[in-house]
Amino acid sequence: MKKILLLTAAVLISGSAMAQHEHFHVFRNDKQINTFNNVQEITYQGSPSSGYDKMQVTDAKGNTTTINIEAIDSVVVRSTGIPEFHVNLTDHPEWTELTGSKSDEHPAILRMDGNGMYDDLPEQEVIFRGRGNSTWNMKKKPYRFKMDKKTEVCGMKKAKSFALIANYIDCSLMRNTVALWLANYLEMPFANHCVPVKVYFNGICKGQYMLTEKTGIGSGSVDIDEEKGMLFEIDSNYDEDYKFAYDLYSHTAVQNGYNNTRTLPVMISDPDLTEIAPALGLTADEYFDT
C-alpha cells in the first residue's frame, strides 16, 4: 500500500502541468517532516521484487534528499494556489515602495499569474496608488489599482478598481478573510470578497496581500443606483473633497464644517460627483448642495 501511495505521488508531481507551483510534503514517523517546492523528479532505490527502501526527491536546483521508506507515514501534494500580481511603475521603476501621499497616482504596468486557480490577467496599463488611513503609515503599504475598463479579477464581479490589503498588523493574515467569508456565508448585503495573493512591486516581493473589491457603488460592492444613491463614510481623517459635519446636538449638517467633538465627520465616498453631476446638468458643488 505504501509503495502504491509513493508511486502515485511521483506520478502527480511528474505529470502535473503546475509542478512549478506545487508543494510536496512528506510526513514521517520519526518526528520529522520534509517539505519541497518545485519538485522535478522522484526516484526510488531498490527493486519491485525485493521492495523499495529509499525515496530520493530532486528539486529544481538539483538538490536531492533521500528518505527511508519505512520512516514515511504519508505524502501530500498541494498546489500553492495563490495568484501573483506583478506591478511595475512606469514613472518610477527605481522605487522600492510608494512614497508621498496615498492619493498620488502613478502609471504602471500590471500582470497577474493566476497559478491555475484563476484566469491570468494579461499585461496592461493601470493607475496605481496607495490607500488606507492609519495603515498607509505602516511599513507594508496597502495599494489600489484602476484599470481602463471593467474586468473580472480572481472570480470577482467586473470592476475597474480593486484594493490590495496589506494585513500588516495581522500576523495570521486571515482576520479580514474570515470576517468577510462569514459575512457572505450569512448573506449579509454588500460584503466584500477576498482572495489571498502575492504582490511584486517593481520586481520586489512584498509578500502576501488580500485582493478585494474597492468599496464603492457598483455591482461588485454596494449595488445601488449611483445617480440616486450615495455612499457616505464616517471618518475622522475628514480628507475627502466633499464632506460635512453632522451636529449631534442640533441635528443639523454644516457643509464642509469643522469636525469636532460635537459632530460626526461625514464624507461622500462614492460616487465621484465630478463625473455624475455634468450628466444631470449640474456642477459638482451644486449636486453636493442638493
Side-chain angles (χ1 to χ4, degrees):
M1 181 64 183
K2 182 174 289 187
K3 182 174 70 174
I4 295 174
L5 176 68
L6 295 176
L7 288 173
T8 302
V11 171
L12 286 171
I13 287 291
S14 61
S16 173
M18 285 178 58
Q20 67 272 24
H21 297 307
E22 290 185 336
H23 288 173
F24 182 57
H25 306 280
V26 180
F27 296 92
R28 301 167 52 162
N29 55 31
D30 56 0
K31 298 182 180 180
Q32 296 187 54
I33 181 173
N34 297 98
T35 296
F36 305 92
N37 300 326
N38 301 330
V39 173
Q40 298 300 303
E41 185 181 33
I42 297 176
T43 58
Y44 299 95
Q45 297 177 9
S47 65
S49 57
S50 61
Y52 299 108
D53 57 0
K54 295 181 185 297
M55 178 176 73
Q56 183 171 283
V57 182
T58 305
D59 64 20
K61 296 181 179 180
N63 301 317
T64 60
T65 302
T66 302
I67 306 171
N68 290 328
I69 296 295
E70 294 302 319
I72 299 175
D73 269 341
S74 60
V75 175
V76 177
V77 182
R78 285 200 181 104
S79 169
T80 56
I82 182 169
E84 295 180 358
F85 279 78
H86 297 263
V87 180
N88 294 285
L89 298 188
T90 305
D91 55 351
H92 292 286
E94 77 284 358
W95 281 6
T96 59
E97 186 56 272
L98 287 183
T99 62
S101 170
K102 67 180 181 183
S103 60
D104 291 343
E105 296 184 338
H106 301 278
I109 301 297
L110 168 74
R111 70 175 177 86
M112 185 200 79
D113 181 355
N115 276 351
M117 294 294 293
Y118 300 97
D119 291 337
D120 296 344
L121 281 182
E123 192 172 272
Q124 58 188 285
E125 295 180 353
V126 299
I127 297 298
F128 199 72
R129 53 163 290 184
R131 68 170 305 282
N133 291 316
S134 60
T135 55
W136 174 246
N137 298 316
M138 296 179 182
K139 292 181 179 180
K140 187 180 178 186
K141 303 290 187 184
Y143 304 124
R144 196 171 93 193
F145 63 91
K146 184 177 182 180
M147 298 175 284
D148 288 337
K149 61 180 181 180
K150 291 184 177 181
T151 304
E152 179 183 306
V153 181
C154 292
M156 298 181 189
K157 289 186 177 181
K158 289 185 176 181
K160 285 186 176 182
S161 296
F162 291 87
L164 291 165
I165 309 299
N167 287 327
Y168 180 72
I169 57 176
D170 175 15
C171 59
S172 74
L173 303 176
M174 292 177 60
R175 291 198 309 228
N176 280 317
T177 301
V178 171
L180 291 174
W181 176 88
L182 184 60
N184 280 286
Y185 182 78
L186 295 175
E187 299 182 352
M188 298 174 67
F190 312 143
N192 280 25
H193 303 85
C194 52
V195 174
V197 300
K198 183 182 288 186
V199 174
Y200 291 84
F201 176 86
N202 280 348
I204 301 171
C205 180
K206 292 296 182 179
Q208 192 262 15
Y209 278 70
M210 187 187 82
L211 174 75
T212 187
E213 298 96 343
K214 172 187 173 293
T215 303
I217 298 176
S219 61
S221 187
V222 183
D223 194 6
I224 60 176
D225 188 336
E226 65 178 7
E227 293 188 2
K228 297 179 181 179
M230 196 166 286
L231 182 61
F232 296 100
E233 178 182 9
I234 297 175
D235 188 351
S236 60
N237 286 280
Y238 209 52
D239 54 0
E240 294 288 347
D241 292 332
Y242 293 95
K243 54 186 180 288
F244 61 88
Y246 181 78
D247 193 296
L248 296 172
Y249 298 94
S250 65
H251 303 293
T252 58
V254 182
Q255 183 171 320
N256 289 322
Y258 177 70
N259 173 38
N260 56 43
T261 56
R262 286 176 51 93
T263 61
L264 282 178
V266 184
M267 302 184 297
I268 295 181
S269 178
D270 221 22
D272 184 341
L273 301 189
T274 61
E275 293 182 359
I276 298 299
L280 302 175
L282 301 170
T283 66
D285 289 338
E286 289 171 339
Y287 187 71
F288 179 60
D289 286 342
T290 65

